[in-house]
Amino acid sequence: MLIKNIDLVPIDGKNEVIKNTNIYIKDNIITHIGEIREDIQVERVIDGKNKIAMPGLINAHTHIGMSLLRNFADDLPLHDWLTKKIWPTEANLRGEDVYWGSLLSMVEMIQGGTTAFCDMYFFMDEVGKGLEESGMRGVLTRGLIEDNDAKAKLKETKELFNNWNSKANGRIKVMVAPHAPYTCSPDFLIESFNLAKELNTGIHIHLSETKKEIEDSFKLYGKSPIKHVYDLGILDLHTIAAHCVHVDDEDIEIIKEKNVFPVNNPGSNFKLASGFAPVAQMLNKGVSVALGTDGSSSNNNLNMFEEINLAAIINKAVNLNAISVPAISALEMATVNGAKALGWNEEIGSIEVGKKADIVLIDIDKPHLYPHHNIISSLAYSVQASDVDTVLVDGKIIMEKREVKTLDVEKIKFMAEKHAKDLITR
Amino acid sequence: MLIKNIDLVPIDGKNEVIKNTNIYIKDNIITHIGEIREDIQVERVIDGKNKIAMPGLINAHTHIGMSLLRNFADDLPLHDWLTKKIWPTEANLRGEDVYWGSLLSMVEMIQGGTTAFCDMYFFMDEVGKGLEESGMRGVLTRGLIEDNDAKAKLKETKELFNNWNSKANGRIKVMVAPHAPYTCSPDFLIESFNLAKELNTGIHIHLSETKKEIEDSFKLYGKSPIKHVYDLGILDLHTIAAHCVHVDDEDIEIIKEKNVFPVNNPGSNFKLASGFAPVAQMLNKGVSVALGTDGSSSNNNLNMFEEINLAAIINKAVNLNAISVPAISALEMATVNGAKALGWNEEIGSIEVGKKADIVLIDIDKPHLYPHHNIISSLAYSVQASDVDTVLVDGKIIMEKREVKTLDVEKIKFMAEKHAKDLITR
């Protein structure tokens, strides 16, 4: 395949735009970037006129099945939101609900330029089925809240790994997801760690999301949640740490020392009144901070361009510094840093020869994107999810001219609405 | 005209959605909302299936000519941004640049559901021409920075008033715009005030945007910018006060006492590292806070749904309170409060019988808007500018199925790009 005459933002460590270039793809690999090569046979040509090519966005922390509860409960205190609305409703969830909710989320993510995600939920076999169909790339993790079924959930995780890890041409990966230090005892955290070690995979966990969580951790363990899991040895494995909002200098030192991958979820952290993560401080210390949407019932969407924009503007106000988290850094958070978090940095996250072709084309022929001064600024400050025109994952076109090729969008909208209405009246 | 079978969010003081209703419009006035009326003759019917009707959004503070500098200079310290990039380039601006830049902004605003705006810039005759063509509603103000040409600028304002106030079927209004207390001496502020009084119109001014401005005001006048203009008597007229980021309790008391209309510009305030305005505190004290985008070179767009979303989520994080500025309040800021700020609250801002038909239809048949639980939450937390399907201003359809009817979008994109490129190399 050839994408010709395109302006390319490779996100390859440099703050640069390669004007009017050509991208060759063979099977799922980017084989050449630059001049037209007469010696390469091409089956399919995509015209890059008025388009920007950039790496597919990586949503490094989400709960995609929760889309069925989007705009179901808002403007409530956090405790009431969880205990009166979300948890009682989630208790009634069935596998089929999660299947259709997850597909709805995948359609939304594809339409917004997201090509890979890291999900934590339950009925994860259903998510695996949907993920395979969608053509996206993803990390599946079964959220482990310790209760009477804790052993069964660990067994489920192992089965999930055996069923789905490395499947779909390597587009699917499975990790172990102890939910959080406040929902898992030290013993259960260690059991989860041992399972991840046995499976030779990573950990996906919520860490230091709210002030209350920090206070409770100090009361119970005399230390922060991050110091707590560090002392337990949990961070010795590859760790995706969602949120990291309330982290102090010692926490950041630990994150750096253990090469933890924090995932910033600005939209959700603001909406749930959790607070402002010290993103600039972590980036400045060389920590690879990724970006995520969290679930769409606390956001309320899965729009990575919105999160990029939030990351790029909010940290300036928080730090009273107009150069804090510049455009390119916010874009790196959503691409290369996401790839590192998901353990896929050799494969995806940037557009370079040898990498897999997870590529998004942005249509810049829109009034709100004129004039065409600085494309990197435009991607962080002006581009909308709806400007995504074409999406490739693993060398395959999964959306073209905004038409999703892999999924039946009308059926998914209908089934998601049906299951959502059924769920809340069940 | 009849908009039939539509779900209506009237924003009429109640947090409500009227399901499956019908809106009748005669000339530019909403004449009936409710059951189908066989006795009313209808020329044109719009089908409301899968759509939401809401009042047109009101962008209460912007500089629309600045779109030519969108994504031209970003990630710079504020002082360098202004003195090295924006001001030297603006010094080369010509009337024709402002005409095309303003039209580009109007296309963007229409496509994002904005029906009225309050602009502060120069070459305002050009903006008036564009505004008349666009079919939008707007307040024109000639920004008055005191310099050697200050007298001429006051004269220009008077001419602008005579040329444009009440024109275009009342869609255009002119106010007087002393730029800010830090760019205008007390004498010049009073001269501006006297002109506004003579013309029987209002004032549009920047107040308390940055920390530096407050510090300088205390050094120079021994009081805050708001106390300063209050003591000068400026606030005795209808006043649109852009920003109001750094306001203390006394300032808020003044705002309340003088019925000042603060305009919150979250996107710009964050990007320029100005800080967080105490929106919830002002709203709780009964102040009518409106919403704006500021210019698109400090945002970088004119997307009111983005500002609504920011207002609804950020104040929760700032106040560590998940019920701070709920969805309906953010929507009110962008509609009824905007109408009050622009002095048009009798005419627009809500969908009620007797008001002018400035109405926006949102297409909710989009994956990111499913399921359809709470429409008001959806409008604040999930809807995107690109979901705006149809726009009516003054009873006329100015966009239908995303096609702008009043302006030549292709020509405007071309001319804006041309003038932008010419401007920065002039």
Side-chain angles (χ1 to χ4, degrees), chain A residues 383-404:
Chain A
V383 164
Q384 305 287 312
S386 51
D387 301 329
V388 174
D389 182 83
T390 293
V391 176
L392 284 81
V393 178
D394 216 33
K396 289 198 181 56
I397 298 173
I398 64 171
M399 182 172 87
E400 188 172 14
K401 296 191 169 71
R402 291 206 65 70
E403 193 193 321
V404 177

Side-chain angles (χ1 to χ4, degrees), chain A residues 249-396:
Chain A
D249 287 349
E250 192 191 1
D251 292 334
I252 297 179
E253 280 309 313
I254 291 173
I255 287 169
K256 177 116 182 81
E257 178 199 329
K258 303 309 283 187
N259 202 17
V260 169
F261 299 97
V263 183
N264 181 222
N265 301 280
S268 170
N269 294 158
F270 305 156
K271 182 161 184 291
L272 295 179
S274 304
F276 300 95
V279 173
Q281 289 88 317
M282 290 195 275
L283 289 175
N284 291 342
K285 290 206 172 149
V287 171
S288 172
V289 184
L291 202 56
T293 59
D294 210 356
S296 52
S297 58
S298 63
N299 189 311
N300 294 344
N301 54 39
L302 304 172
N303 180 337
M304 284 293 289
F305 275 110
E306 217 166 90
E307 305 297 328
I308 290 169
N309 187 247
L310 285 173
I313 66 174
I314 287 300
N315 294 291
K316 294 172 169 63
V318 168
N319 301 313
L320 293 177
N321 175 2
I323 57 176
S324 188
V325 188
I328 187 69
S329 297
L331 292 169
E332 285 170 349
M333 288 170 70
T335 55
V336 279
N337 294 7
K340 285 181 202 162
L342 273 54
W344 269 325
N345 47 314
E346 299 292 325
E347 287 87 354
I348 56 171
S350 61
I351 300 185
E352 295 177 87
V353 170
K355 283 214 169 176
K356 291 186 173 165
D358 288 14
I359 298 173
V360 160
L361 305 187
I362 310 291
D363 176 5
I364 57 166
D365 188 24
K366 303 276 186 88
H368 62 276
L369 301 180
Y370 275 89
H372 297 150
H373 288 306
N374 180 331
I375 291 300
I376 288 176
S377 283
S378 184
L379 288 171
Y381 298 120
S382 306
V383 164
Q384 305 287 312
S386 51
D387 301 329
V388 174
D389 182 83
T390 293
V391 176
L392 284 81
V393 178
D394 216 33
K396 289 198 181 56

Side-chain angles (χ1 to χ4, degrees), chain A residues 67-68 70-71 74-75 300 306 316 327 365 368 370-374 377 381-382 384 386 413 417, chain B residues 67-68 70-71 74-75 271 300 306 316 327 365 368 370-374 377 381-382 384 386 413 417:
Chain A
S67 66
L68 292 195
R70 187 204 321 261
N71 296 312
D74 303 284
D75 297 322
N300 294 344
E306 217 166 90
K316 294 172 169 63
D365 188 24
H368 62 276
Y370 275 89
H372 297 150
H373 288 306
N374 180 331
S377 283
Y381 298 120
S382 306
Q384 305 287 312
S386 51
K413 288 189 297 192
E417 181 77 19
Chain B
S67 67
L68 293 194
R70 187 204 321 261
N71 295 313
D74 301 286
D75 297 323
K271 182 161 185 290
N300 292 346
E306 218 165 89
K316 294 172 168 62
D365 188 24
H368 62 276
Y370 276 88
H372 297 150
H373 289 307
N374 180 331
S377 282
Y381 298 119
S382 306
Q384 306 287 311
S386 51
K413 288 188 296 190
E417 181 77 19

